[in-house]
Amino acid sequence: MIKKENFVLSIVKFAFREGAALTTPQASTEITAKTLAVVEAWREAEGPLLPILHGVQEEFGYIPNEALPVIANALNLSRADVYGVMSFYHDFRERPAGRHVLKLCQAESCQAMGSDAVAEKLRKLLGIDFNETAKDGSVTLEPVYCLGLCACSPSAMLDGEVIGRLDEGKVNEIVAEVRA
C-alpha cells in the first residue's frame, strides 16, 4: 500500500521532471496535497475531471499550473487532456481573479440594447480590458455570452449577483463598489 506522503512526494518529483513551473518545494507540496484531497473526493465519480477542476478552483481561486500534472497522473490522463478541458471552459481561471469579478454579457440581446457602450465605459473607468485584472487586484472584467436576463438587457454579474438594465448610473455604482 502506498502511503499518501510518499504519493505526494512522487507527484512533486513527476511535476519537476515534466517541467511544470513550480516555485518552491514547500509551495508545490501544499498545492499538490490540496489538489490530491480534491481528486480523492471526486475520483470515483462518473466523469470526475470537471468536478475536480471545479474543486481545485474553489480551493485556490484559480487552477494552478502545478495542479495539472497531479490531476493528470491521478486520472491517468495526459496534461494536455486536462489543460484542454480546463481551457475550453471559460469559468476556469489560470490566474487568480481580483477581489471582485465583473462579468458583462456580450450576447446578441445585450449588444442590441447597448452592451458595447457599457463595455467601453467600464473599460475606461476600470482601466482594464476583458480578461484582465486591475493592477490593484480590485476587479477582474470578463465577457460572458448570456446571463439569461435578455428581457433586462444589457446585463452583468458582479460577484455572482445579476444586474439588469445597465445604464450609466448603474455602471458608476458598480465601479464605486469594486473600487471601495
Side-chain angles (χ1 to χ4, degrees), residues 10-22 32 66 69-70 79:
S10 69
I11 294 295
V12 170
K13 288 178 183 175
F14 170 79
F16 274 111
R17 186 176 69 241
E18 295 297 355
L22 299 173
T32 299
E66 296 92 334
V70 175
R79 285 182 11 206

Side-chain angles (χ1 to χ4, degrees), residues 35-157:
T35 301
L36 281 173
V38 172
V39 168
E40 289 305 315
W42 291 101
R43 181 192 298 267
E44 300 303 318
E46 190 172 330
L49 182 55
L50 283 176
I52 288 169
L53 290 171
H54 280 287
V56 169
Q57 181 156 295
E58 187 175 316
E59 179 70 35
F60 299 105
Y62 69 108
I63 300 176
N65 190 46
E66 296 92 334
L68 298 181
V70 175
I71 297 167
N73 190 48
L75 297 180
N76 197 29
L77 298 170
S78 72
R79 285 182 11 206
D81 289 336
V82 176
Y83 181 79
V85 171
M86 183 194 80
S87 63
F88 177 80
Y89 293 100
H90 299 286
D91 278 340
F92 293 128
R93 294 186 180 86
E94 295 181 54
R95 292 175 299 286
R99 292 185 301 279
H100 300 280
V101 176
L102 177 58
K103 298 180 178 194
L104 183 62
C105 184
Q106 296 294 286
E108 290 80 4
S109 175
C110 285
Q111 285 183 17
M113 297 301 288
S115 70
D116 288 338
V118 170
E120 191 56 41
K121 175 120 177 135
L122 282 168
R123 284 188 198 111
K124 182 179 176 188
L125 291 173
L126 296 172
I128 57 174
D129 203 348
F130 284 126
N131 299 310
E132 291 182 353
T133 300
K135 289 180 183 168
D136 65 0
S138 60
V139 62
T140 298
L141 181 62
E142 298 178 346
V144 293
Y145 298 93
C146 196
L147 290 169
L149 289 176
C150 299
C152 300
S153 297
S155 60
M157 180 183 286

